[in-house]
Amino acid sequence: MKVRRPYFDRLALLVFGILLLTGAVGIAYALMDIAWVGLFLGAAAVALGLATGGRLVRDAVLPFRVDVDSHGLSVRIPKLKRHLPWDEVAAVVLADAPGTTVQRMLRGPRLLLVPAAGVSLGVPLPEKSPVDGQAAVELFELGEVAYKEDRFARDLALLAGERFHPLFRPPIPPTSGVPLRPFPDQPDSARLERWLDRRRALLFVGWYLLVLVPSLSLTIVATQHNELLGVIVLVVSLMVVGIITTVVRHVTESCRDLLDDEARIDGTDLVIGAGPESPRISLVSGAVTVLQPGQLKGFGDAWVLARSADEEPPVPLLLLADPRTGLLRDRDDLRALEAVLRGSAEERDRAAGRQLDELASQAPTSVASPVTPSAGALPDRAHGTALWQASKGVGRAVVLLGVVVTVMIAGGWVVEETNVVGPALIVTAIGMFCVWIFYAVFRVVALLRALLTIVARAFR
């Protein structure tokens, strides 16, 4: 059992720390020609930058290795470097963080080490074991390491035996029903996210080069020829761009919307989400169908469970296969869905059940039981994932600014030749820019929050 910190977390600390150190050095260089008041404030900023950046760089480069086997623990972390045979360990406790409910939610479960009587670790023991109150030292939080919570508890229990005490907040099952397994699970989920990101980027480039730029160019040419013709082309272009934008967004987001949804079977209903107000879809109402790969735009090689009425387009409900690879969902999940559909009085539902039965015969079987995330607990690599998602959001804001600038340039091109088209494009660009400002501020705040969360973890 090898416990390591995610490389992305360490890279984020290193990059952010280097930026702070570089900024502090730059400020120090600029202080040479500043008056004493500015010198005092600048010196404070330099001191803060050096202290914070140095701490982050140190935490990023210091070793973090915890190896557990049948003989004991080998710990090499900043606060403790030692090999401990099991005879020198009284207990290892996986417990929630103390304090308020908010603090527990932010920190998540942590691993405490209680040395055996008479064994000195050579470091302070500021914690108390929630089992019997013995002095203990905190090794790490589960949110800091690249290890799933359920697997960590299972592996450590197997190696530590009776010394292991899992006192963290247990998973809270749904109020009713049978939970379906997360799908796709890590690392397939991360690969699928990257695949969807690349596809979204390609679709955006295609939309920009083949839809927006040609529409604006055609409007400019028509306006230079005749203003009335330019107005007509502008109106038609706005309609075309709006329709194609809606289609592109649906293609890029419809699959992504199903990735993080929790699902369970409650009686004859499929419940999407974990909250009390989660939508419920009847599986025996004659509206359920199984769509093959290619029948829904944007879902790649995925089989999809969908709700479909004769007069309405199908609404995707649940991924039955990975859109990137076509790998089917776990066999037990497909069998559970098939069992409900098979008992329906509607032929459409029973046909969907037969299709699920065929898929289940080809699907893999997981050895792990369904896992429901701990209430309020942060998943593995949650902070690094949040930082990566926030960084992508800032990148999207920068790219969208290019769209605003393009519309502004198009308006400026013909503003002196027309009384309608040029001003209309400029007003449109100004409105888009105002919306963009709010979006950009939202994305930057999210990025700063993710960065500060990682910094706070480093200094806790």
Side-chain angles (χ1 to χ4, degrees):
M1 179 179 180
K2 299 180 182 297
V3 182
R4 303 290 185 266
R5 290 174 65 186
Y7 289 114
F8 185 83
D9 277 13
R10 304 187 70 169
L11 179 61
L13 287 177
L14 181 61
V15 172
F16 194 44
I18 291 176
L19 289 176
L20 287 176
L21 290 175
T22 305
V25 172
I27 293 175
Y29 180 77
L31 291 178
M32 296 180 179
D33 299 324
I34 297 180
W36 68 271
V37 176
L39 185 65
F40 176 77
L41 296 176
V46 170
L48 179 61
L50 291 176
T52 306
R55 173 69 180 271
L56 294 179
V57 171
R58 189 201 66 154
D59 288 346
V61 300
L62 283 178
F64 188 103
R65 303 171 63 89
V66 179
D67 296 332
V68 186
D69 56 28
S70 58
H71 303 292
L73 298 91
S74 180
V75 181
R76 186 172 174 78
I77 59 177
K79 66 176 67 174
L80 179 64
K81 297 178 179 61
R82 179 154 178 187
H83 175 73
L84 291 167
W86 285 121
D87 293 342
E88 298 182 5
V89 177
V92 282
V93 184
L94 189 59
D96 289 322
T100 64
T101 302
V102 174
Q103 186 177 7
R104 292 191 183 99
M105 292 175 64
L106 290 174
R107 295 192 59 182
R110 58 188 187 145
L111 187 69
L112 302 178
L113 173 65
V114 181
V119 175
S120 174
L121 299 181
V123 296
L125 304 177
E127 307 290 342
K128 288 187 177 181
S129 169
V131 177
D132 50 17
Q134 293 188 67
V137 60
E138 177 184 329
L139 297 183
F140 52 80
E141 295 178 13
L142 280 192
E144 295 178 325
V145 300
Y147 223 111
K148 282 187 172 294
E149 188 172 293
D150 60 316
R151 182 186 170 194
F152 179 86
R154 183 176 63 249
D155 292 351
L156 190 55
L158 182 64
L159 295 170
E162 297 180 353
R163 294 179 177 85
F164 177 58
H165 300 276
L167 302 183
F168 67 104
R169 186 174 41 255
I172 298 178
T175 53
S176 59
V178 179
L180 302 180
R181 292 163 176 79
F183 181 83
D185 203 357
Q186 292 289 352
D188 290 333
S189 179
R191 296 191 183 105
L192 178 56
E193 283 278 359
R194 292 193 293 270
W195 181 78
L196 291 172
D197 287 340
R198 289 193 295 269
R199 191 182 65 172
R200 177 163 59 182
L202 289 174
L203 285 172
F204 176 82
V205 171
W207 171 85
Y208 180 82
L209 295 178
L210 302 178
V211 179
L212 180 64
V213 172
S215 297
L216 293 175
S217 301
L218 186 60
T219 301
I220 292 173
V221 172
T223 302
Q224 291 174 339
H225 185 267
N226 181 275
E227 184 171 2
L228 179 59
L229 179 61
V231 172
I232 295 174
V233 173
L234 175 62
V235 173
V236 174
S237 296
L238 288 176
M239 294 175 59
V240 171
V241 170
I243 293 172
I244 296 180
T245 301
T246 302
V247 172
V248 170
R249 188 183 185 284
H250 176 73
V251 169
T252 58
E253 300 300 327
S254 54
C255 180
R256 191 183 300 271
D257 291 341
L258 299 185
L259 293 187
D260 298 326
D261 286 340
E262 297 180 26
R264 67 181 188 272
I265 300 174
D266 187 4
T268 59
D269 291 342
L270 176 66
V271 184
I272 307 296
E277 304 299 327
S278 299
R280 307 174 70 92
I281 299 95
S282 174
L283 296 175
V284 295
S285 60
V288 175
T289 186
V290 176
L291 301 179
Q292 299 180 8
Q295 288 187 264
L296 274 181
K297 296 294 184 182
F299 282 82
D301 293 331
W303 291 78
V304 181
L305 186 71
R307 181 177 57 197
S308 176
D310 294 333
E311 67 280 2
E312 298 177 358
V315 178
L317 302 175
L318 190 70
L319 288 176
L320 301 178
D322 190 323
R324 183 181 66 91
T325 63
L327 179 67
L328 291 168
R329 181 183 277 271
D330 185 86
R331 180 180 301 173
D332 292 340
D333 289 350
L334 298 177
R335 294 290 188 198
L337 291 166
E338 183 266 335
V340 177
L341 293 168
R342 184 177 52 202
S344 174
E346 302 289 340
E347 174 56 29
R348 174 177 288 187
D349 297 333
R350 294 197 297 271
R354 290 192 292 271
Q355 181 66 74
L356 286 175
D357 184 55
E358 294 180 12
L359 293 178
S361 64
Q362 309 168 32
T365 301
S366 174
V367 296
S369 59
V371 176
T372 303
S374 302
L378 293 173
D380 292 343
R381 304 188 63 180
H383 301 291
T385 302
L387 180 60
W388 173 241
Q389 296 294 341
S391 301
K392 290 195 298 184
V394 173
R396 284 195 293 270
V398 173
V399 171
L400 290 175
L401 180 60
V403 175
V404 178
V405 172
T406 302
V407 177
M408 180 66 75
I409 291 174
W413 199 296
V414 295
V415 69
E416 296 181 356
E417 304 175 14
T418 174
N419 296 323
V420 178
V421 176
L425 287 173
I426 291 178
V427 170
T428 300
I430 293 174
M432 293 171 63
F433 182 70
C434 293
V435 175
W436 177 86
I437 289 176
F438 286 102
Y439 178 77
V441 169
F442 168 75
R443 290 301 184 183
V444 170
V445 169
L447 177 61
L448 292 176
R449 184 184 297 116
L451 285 172
L452 291 175
T453 300
I454 291 180
V455 173
R457 287 173 55 209
F459 277 90
R460 78 174 203 284

